[in-house]
Amino acid sequence: DLSKKGKLSKEQKLLLSEGFLIETWVTTDFLERIAKDFELNVYRPGVGFNKIAEVALKFIVIPEIARRYGPKDEENTLEEEINNNYKNKGIDYIAELLGVDRSDLVKEIEEMLRSLLLGGFEESNGMSLGGHTLEKDGLLAAVVVSEAAIYAKKHDTNLARILVSLYCQYGYYATVNFPLVLDKVTGNTDKENIMDSLKIIAEAIDKKTLEEPIIVDGKRVVKVEFSNDPTVVIGPKDKGYKFIFEDGSFIITRPSGTEGKIRFYGQSKVDASYVNEENIDIVKEIAQATIIKLDEGFQELAVHQLLLKGNKALSEALSDNSKKSSAKLAKHYYEIAKAIFEGLEKIQSERRANLPKVIVEAINQRKSFIDSELVKIRMRVNICQKVLEEKEVSVSLKKLTEPYGLE
């Protein structure tokens, strides 16, 4: 509106011509879709607002400082010099290097960010605006929402209607962020084991060497993106894999850095051509049910990898009954998988208690593999116990050969 009325400030004009938006790589694509429509450049750093701040400094502020203060007619090494030193020496070092007052430099950096950065956004609803603090600010978010509500009222509408109009223009994006909670004692080790297995699957999909496709809720994984790829995650490296399905939905698996958990971030999109004001509620239900089914199915697939590790150890034990250590290891994997599956089953049940009935009915159409996995685990724990007790065991090793996937 300000642009149409010719009332954009100098900073706002610069933002719309050369500006940036930063959001973590696990955050909804909805923001990026809107930002690119306004011709903003989008950076996707790793998880954590500190990563957003670091990218803002390294890729926006410091290049702009080098442009303003570096030599114009010779090789400009100022950007490299600042990047190599500012983390250890701080802003006082930059001010001294440039020959400017520290407080003046701070004001100039704030002005740069107001002109070049719309804001930073993360998946846990943290946000800040350019020129404000490079940390998430809930009070600022409340102020922005209040301003948007005032704008809506002046234009005889409301925030809900504005959101619907955005969905109609850009599509509807349903997201989830469900953690897979692991054992309190063995959680970190189990986290590493599962992530190692998912890495093998991701690399096999990427290299097209996986014998059988990974299918969840009838949808096939067709592509994988890796967090250590700078075209996927800019700035400091993150950990995780993005599994993209044939309909464009995706699941990102990422280990928690502080707890025995693996985060499963998911997104399902309904294209704008299928969205209108009359069907938006149905669209939301379909998209939300779709991504919850994919997320729950992928969590089951992840835990299934522990069962496969148990199968491998049990096969070694059965090949030589003297290998009691392999039987112990197999039993360990099976018991850990059993505990995680039982916890997952409880969480899925609790989740359904808080969802609308229509979405629950849609979610329940997906075949859960938890019960069948638990049956196999109980049988194989008994086999392990027989091996440990040196009792006779009669089982075909072929039965212990299973695919990575569950469908």
Side-chain angles (χ1 to χ4, degrees), residues 191 195 238-240 253-259 261-263:
K191 177 173 62 178
M195 290 304 298
D238 206 358
K239 296 180 180 180
T253 60
R254 180 185 176 276
S256 168
T258 57
E259 302 174 277
K261 295 179 180 179
I262 297 176
R263 291 280 178 184

Side-chain angles (χ1 to χ4, degrees), residues 232-400:
V232 176
V233 177
I234 192 171
K237 298 305 177 189
D238 206 358
K239 296 180 180 180
Y241 312 101
K242 182 177 183 179
F243 296 88
I244 303 170
F245 293 87
E246 54 196 339
D247 68 344
S249 301
F250 65 75
I251 296 291
I252 294 176
T253 60
R254 180 185 176 276
S256 168
T258 57
E259 302 174 277
K261 295 179 180 179
I262 297 176
R263 291 280 178 184
F264 286 73
Y265 306 91
Q267 176 183 284
S268 179
K269 176 196 172 186
V270 178
D271 191 83
S273 61
Y274 297 101
V275 183
N276 56 58
E277 293 181 1
E278 288 71 35
N279 72 359
I280 185 60
D281 290 336
I282 296 174
V283 164
K284 287 182 179 180
E285 291 165 0
I286 293 172
Q288 289 167 3
T290 297
I291 195 55
I292 291 174
K293 287 191 289 182
L294 288 177
D295 195 275
E296 290 186 348
F298 216 92
Q299 288 196 358
E300 292 174 17
L301 180 145
V303 183
H304 177 69
Q305 307 314 306
L306 290 178
L307 184 144
L308 296 186
K309 287 182 178 290
N311 289 353
K312 182 179 179 181
L314 181 55
S315 295
E316 292 175 357
L318 293 174
S319 299
D320 182 351
N321 282 339
S322 65
K323 291 187 177 179
K324 288 189 177 182
S325 60
S326 294
K328 286 182 180 178
L329 182 60
K331 186 179 179 183
H332 165 77
Y333 280 129
Y334 290 141
E335 289 178 341
I336 292 297
K338 176 176 178 291
I340 298 173
F341 270 130
E342 289 174 342
L344 190 56
E345 192 170 40
K346 180 181 178 183
I347 289 172
Q348 289 181 3
S349 177
E350 292 172 349
R351 183 177 298 141
R352 282 154 176 71
N354 296 311
L355 289 170
K357 182 180 177 181
V358 65
I359 294 181
V360 172
E361 291 174 349
I363 294 171
N364 288 339
Q365 291 176 7
R366 180 188 73 85
K367 177 187 176 183
S368 172
F369 290 87
I370 292 179
D371 288 342
S372 59
E373 292 281 278
L374 288 174
V375 169
K376 285 189 288 187
I377 289 171
R378 293 187 189 101
M379 293 174 60
R380 291 170 192 178
V381 167
N382 289 335
I383 296 172
C384 291
Q385 193 60 41
K386 286 183 179 180
V387 173
L388 292 172
E389 294 173 1
E390 299 183 358
K391 293 181 179 179
E392 185 176 346
V393 177
S394 177
V395 61
S396 171
L397 292 179
K398 288 184 178 180
K399 291 186 177 180
L400 298 177

Side-chain angles (χ1 to χ4, degrees), residues 74-143:
E74 58 185 272
E75 185 179 359
N76 189 344
T77 60
L78 184 58
E79 180 179 343
E80 182 180 0
E81 186 174 352
I82 295 175
N83 272 319
N84 289 338
N85 294 284
Y86 84 92
K87 284 187 180 180
N88 295 326
K89 298 182 179 180
I91 194 167
D92 289 327
Y93 155 77
I94 301 176
E96 183 178 349
L97 180 68
L98 301 179
V100 299
D101 182 76
R102 183 185 190 278
S103 59
D104 290 339
L105 178 60
V106 170
K107 291 177 182 177
E108 187 172 5
I109 289 174
E110 290 174 347
E111 173 266 317
M112 289 177 190
L113 289 172
R114 276 194 300 272
S115 302
L116 294 172
L117 177 63
L118 175 63
F121 305 87
E122 66 174 354
E123 73 289 344
S124 58
N125 297 325
M127 63 81 68
S128 187
L129 297 180
H132 189 57
T133 177
L134 284 176
E135 181 54 272
K136 53 190 170 186
D137 187 339
L139 289 175
L140 175 65
V143 170

Side-chain angles (χ1 to χ4, degrees), residues 43-46 51 55 59 229-237:
Y43 283 145
R44 292 277 204 158
K51 306 280 182 62
V55 165
F59 295 99
D229 182 345
T231 65
V232 176
V233 177
I234 192 171
K237 298 305 177 189

Side-chain angles (χ1 to χ4, degrees), residues 25 195 197-210 212-215 220-233 239-246 248-254 298 301:
W25 76 298
M195 290 304 298
S197 295
L198 292 176
K199 179 183 178 182
I200 292 171
I201 294 174
E203 290 177 342
I205 293 172
D206 186 55
K207 296 175 182 177
K208 298 182 172 29
T209 57
L210 198 65
E212 297 184 17
I214 297 296
I215 298 174
R220 183 167 60 96
V221 177
V222 295
K223 183 181 177 183
V224 177
E225 293 180 351
F226 299 82
S227 62
N228 60 2
D229 182 345
T231 65
V232 176
V233 177
K239 296 180 180 180
Y241 312 101
K242 182 177 183 179
F243 296 88
I244 303 170
F245 293 87
E246 54 196 339
S249 301
F250 65 75
I251 296 291
I252 294 176
T253 60
R254 180 185 176 276
F298 216 92
L301 180 145

